[in-house]
Amino acid sequence: MNTPALSVCVYCGSRDGDDPAFAAAAHAVGRGIAERGWQLVYGGGRAGLMGRVADAALAAGGRVVGVIPRSLMEREVGHAGLSELHVVDTMHQRKRLMAERSDAFVALPGGIGTFEELFEVWTWRQLGYHDKPVGLLNAAGYYDALLGFLGQTVAHGFVAPPQRALLQVNAEPAALLDAIGRLAPRATAPDDYGRI
């Protein structure tokens, strides 16, 4: 088995949303990860954008690692066709294992679970638990309002400009993956998720 050049954790919705552009973006990210010879790490589900990103990576010959809690195996319908599927006991175990198996993190459109995962891994970066790149795919302007609010957090003094700058944002899947690919090799600090 070849070792992937990079392992990218993708956070995204277990639904498709109301705009076909979201599904297209998930497909492009999954395919793009595989075509670069990278590995996809994600939440292990078969539904919504989660399933689309995994299916696209698999169809393009990529390795896909899923991590899903037992309690969500039925609700999110665990994907049976992955390279690896890890069933864990808790959400905390899920998120930690996903982080440990990844060299970079990318959030696609999604709901509160996606928001929570993005902000948590971004916070972990700020606290020094890892120094891996964190990206946000603003497909079809989905995150425009959030990005505006993040500007307010900087303007009001709650988020420092260097912390805001840690979040890589792009509307184009290939451009975002290219940026992540350039930044990931610079992450050399050892992970310290044991402090979480």
Side-chain angles (χ1 to χ4, degrees):
M1 176 182 74
N2 293 333
T3 302
L6 202 69
S7 189
V8 180
C9 181
V10 172
Y11 305 122
C12 59
S14 59
R15 300 178 182 183
D16 281 329
D18 67 350
D19 189 330
F22 303 149
H27 187 271
V29 167
R31 186 183 67 240
I33 287 171
E35 288 177 346
R36 287 166 172 77
W38 300 350
Q39 174 174 266
L40 168 66
V41 176
Y42 85 116
R46 189 167 52 113
L49 299 187
M50 293 176 71
R52 291 183 184 278
V53 72
D55 287 342
L58 291 166
R63 277 189 53 78
V64 179
V65 177
V67 185
I68 191 167
R70 277 178 227 292
S71 62
L72 295 182
M73 268 296 283
E74 290 186 15
R75 191 184 324 172
E76 290 186 3
V77 191
H79 198 304
L82 305 180
S83 309
E84 300 176 34
L85 178 62
H86 300 271
V87 180
V88 296
D89 292 325
T90 69
M91 285 293 289
H92 289 292
Q93 290 172 338
R94 178 196 215 183
K95 292 184 290 184
R96 180 172 174 171
L97 181 57
M98 289 169 68
E100 288 172 343
R101 295 292 301 269
S102 301
D103 303 305
F105 306 91
V106 174
L108 308 186
I112 59 173
T114 302
F115 308 154
E116 188 265 345
E117 290 167 323
L118 169 65
F119 280 100
E120 183 171 57
V121 80
W122 189 9
T123 300
W124 289 353
R125 170 80 193 259
Q126 167 71 3
L127 295 175
Y129 299 155
H130 70 86
D131 65 344
K132 301 168 183 176
V134 179
L136 181 69
L137 184 67
N138 189 24
Y142 179 72
Y143 284 114
D144 284 351
L146 175 63
L147 292 168
F149 174 70
L150 290 176
Q152 288 190 50
T153 69
V154 174
H156 289 290
F158 287 102
V159 174
Q163 168 67 1
R164 170 61 186 84
L166 291 177
L167 183 65
Q168 305 297 309
V169 180
N170 206 296
E172 297 300 325
L176 183 60
L177 291 177
D178 288 344
I180 291 296
R182 287 190 299 271
L183 292 169
R186 302 180 195 173
T188 58
D191 295 348
D192 192 9
Y193 301 118
R195 290 194 288 154
I196 294 170

